[in-house]
Amino acid sequence: MDNTHFEEILQFIRTLYPNENPVPLHAPRFLGREKEYLTQCIETTYVSYVGQFVTDFEEHIKKLTGAHYAVAIANGTAALHMTLLAAGVQPGNEVITQALTFVATAAGIKHALAEPVFIDVEAETLGMSPEALKAFLVENASYKNGATINKKTGKRIAAVVPMHTFGHPVRLEEISAICDEYGLMLIEDAAESLGSTYKGKHTGTWGRAGILSFNGNKPVTTGGGGMIISNDEALAEKARHLSTTAKRKHPWQFYHDEVGYNLRLPNINAAVGCAQMEYFDSTIKNKRETAEMYKAFFSNMNIPFFTEPQDCHSNYWLNVMFLNDREERDAFLEYSNANGIQTRPVWQLIPALPPYASCQCDPIPIAKDLEDRIVNIPSSVRIF
Ligand SMILES: *Cc1c(COP(=O)(O)O)cnc(C)c1O
């Protein structure tokens, strides 16, 4: 493709976002009662860790996802860290995740002092390949004294953390069955997939626990924020305890029974989240309509555009177009960013980053191919 084609794409994107120049990749929108709720926090003085908005926000998320428990956390990375600790992942345990993800997935595993192990993704979902997971376990896992051991390292494999890339669910049924077969905990990084379901069930609720993010660029934002969702009461309680300084509940005494963390979500952040959740249905509707428009446009242009996988209902957090190779990708990134349309390549593969270079990594041909061809294009909620 040449610049004429590139320009045609930019023209179309400008019609989706006529009021923004440059057009951002994903800007937050505040279209409900955000200001009113923030004012309430200030007027009532409940700006910090005590306040109704935190509880209300957790209720919103429980209702949307169907999870029995929800624990608000300072951000998504910390939510993964707390989840792994609460689930009983021990220092030196191995946690299998995908090579193509945002760095927070791997960082959260490292924060729990566990060792990430990277496997490939599949082109159909952009997320963890069940076949790659199975193949890795067939080759490397042995079952000893009730634990799955990696024969090559002698370490226990404790959990599997798939990530729903750009809001598109992985094949959870298959991954969940493999986890059951090998006695591994399934913990979903659903940071990008609020509102996305697989076979009608919300992402993040298929395994022991899931984590969400409410960072500024996510479909719902609280400025910064995160959430743990789970049906396991003990896990949720443990995560809440750990993230709130490990203080035993008491009206005035300060008794802390282990080394805790201070990773609570402040009430002012939750206030923004509550307001955003009140119109989340229209947020998803708007994002799905944008994806439909992109789909029709790119189909005319004969350019591949990623659509939701089979059995999935996706939030289309960030839309994805595919170019032919790295050279064409870079040419388009240069051209679009120079001409007022913000676009991005996918994250560099995690095993290629210095802090993760020494981690175990399966062959990852699909992730490498996708890395060369994916371009994220503007995906904010369209406002009129
Ligand atoms: C956003 C994100 C997180 C969490 O990010 P925070 O900024 O810490 O809230 C984790 N994993 C993935 C895949 C993400 O995209």
Side-chain angles (χ1 to χ4, degrees):
M1 270 197 288
D2 56 21
N3 282 2
T4 333
H5 290 104
F6 290 171
E7 188 51 42
E8 209 175 322
I9 299 170
L10 300 201
Q11 286 294 353
F12 177 73
I13 296 175
R14 289 190 195 103
T15 66
L16 297 178
Y17 301 98
N19 304 319
E20 283 158 296
N21 186 17
V23 178
L25 187 72
H26 199 288
R29 305 292 195 215
F30 305 102
L31 306 169
R33 301 169 76 180
E34 286 88 347
K35 270 189 190 165
E36 180 189 332
Y37 290 172
L38 283 170
T39 305
Q40 251 181 59
C41 291
I42 291 165
E43 286 178 348
T44 60
T45 77
Y46 287 115
V47 296
S48 191
Y49 300 122
V50 180
Q52 191 58 37
F53 285 120
V54 176
T55 317
D56 289 351
F57 188 39
E58 290 173 345
E59 289 302 317
H60 273 296
I61 294 297
K62 278 156 64 174
K63 188 151 174 272
L64 176 77
T65 62
H68 296 181
Y69 305 97
V71 182
I73 300 282
N75 58 64
T77 314
L80 182 56
H81 176 195
M82 292 298 101
T83 300
L84 294 170
L85 293 191
V89 171
Q90 298 294 315
N93 284 175
E94 293 180 355
V95 174
I96 300 172
T97 190
Q98 62 206 49
L100 182 108
T101 181
F102 178 54
V103 71
T105 315
I109 293 168
K110 281 280 198 183
H111 293 167
L113 306 181
E115 285 302 320
V117 174
F118 300 104
I119 63 170
D120 208 0
V121 295
E122 55 176 1
E124 292 77 9
T125 66
L126 308 180
M128 183 179 282
S129 155
E131 285 77 23
L133 176 62
K134 179 79 189 208
F136 178 85
L137 291 167
V138 165
E139 188 179 328
N140 296 291
S142 77
Y143 202 67
K144 242 194 280 173
N145 306 327
T148 299
I149 304 294
N150 183 330
K151 283 183 287 194
K152 289 207 180 111
T153 60
K155 291 179 177 171
R156 181 175 164 225
I157 306 172
V160 176
V161 180
M163 194 281 281
H164 307 295
T165 307
F166 306 132
H168 299 290
V170 300
R171 280 190 283 149
L172 280 159
E173 210 163 56
E174 284 89 339
I175 290 175
S176 171
I178 297 165
C179 288
D180 286 349
E181 185 186 340
Y182 282 86
L184 304 174
M185 288 186 281
L186 170 60
I187 291 168
E188 293 168 69
D189 183 342
E192 304 180 356
S193 62
L194 187 70
S196 300
T197 59
Y198 176 78
K199 298 201 168 171
K201 197 167 139 96
H202 202 284
T203 49
T205 65
W206 282 75
R208 280 289 288 279
I211 68 104
L212 305 171
S213 166
F214 308 109
N215 191 25
N217 60 353
K218 297 285 157 74
V220 160
T221 187
T222 57
M227 190 88 71
I228 299 166
I229 53 178
S230 180
N231 290 335
D232 180 334
E233 185 177 12
L235 185 150
E237 266 179 22
K238 175 89 181 168
R240 194 181 295 282
H241 186 65
L242 277 174
S243 61
T244 57
T245 74
K247 180 180 179 293
R248 290 258 189 95
K249 252 197 154 72
H250 192 278
W252 62 84
Q253 270 174 13
F254 287 89
Y255 182 77
H256 306 261
D257 58 11
E258 59 188 306
V259 178
Y261 298 79
N262 180 14
L263 293 172
R264 295 170 280 200
L265 184 72
N267 203 45
I268 43 172
N269 297 85
V272 176
C274 285
Q276 300 238 312
M277 288 307 292
E278 287 171 0
Y279 59 91
F280 186 61
D281 283 354
S282 64
T283 300
I284 293 293
K285 189 162 169 279
N286 186 301
K287 290 180 73 60
R288 290 182 58 82
E289 282 166 6
T290 308
E292 278 302 317
M293 291 188 254
Y294 271 132
K295 184 180 165 189
F297 170 77
F298 282 120
S299 144
N300 272 336
M301 293 273 296
N302 248 326
I303 297 172
F305 171 76
F306 192 81
T307 55
E308 63 194 351
Q310 214 185 342
D311 300 318
C312 297
H313 186 86
S314 298
N315 67 6
Y316 283 93
W317 171 50
L318 285 186
N319 288 292
V320 173
M321 62 183 275
F322 298 97
L323 292 173
N324 284 317
D325 49 34
R326 190 175 277 251
E327 197 183 334
E328 190 178 60
R329 179 199 76 171
D330 290 344
F332 181 71
L333 290 169
E334 284 286 345
Y335 186 85
S336 51
N337 284 290
N339 287 281
I341 305 287
Q342 198 189 357
T343 59
R344 268 190 353 197
V346 73
W347 316 283
Q348 290 195 35
L349 301 181
I350 308 299
L353 303 175
Y356 306 99
S358 61
C359 296
Q360 283 173 90
C361 183
D362 232 18
I364 47 170
I366 308 290
K368 285 183 173 160
D369 175 60
L370 291 171
E371 183 191 22
D372 286 346
R373 297 190 301 117
I374 287 177
V375 173
N376 286 127
I377 49 182
S379 305
S380 317
V381 164
R382 284 165 299 107
I383 38 182
F384 310 99

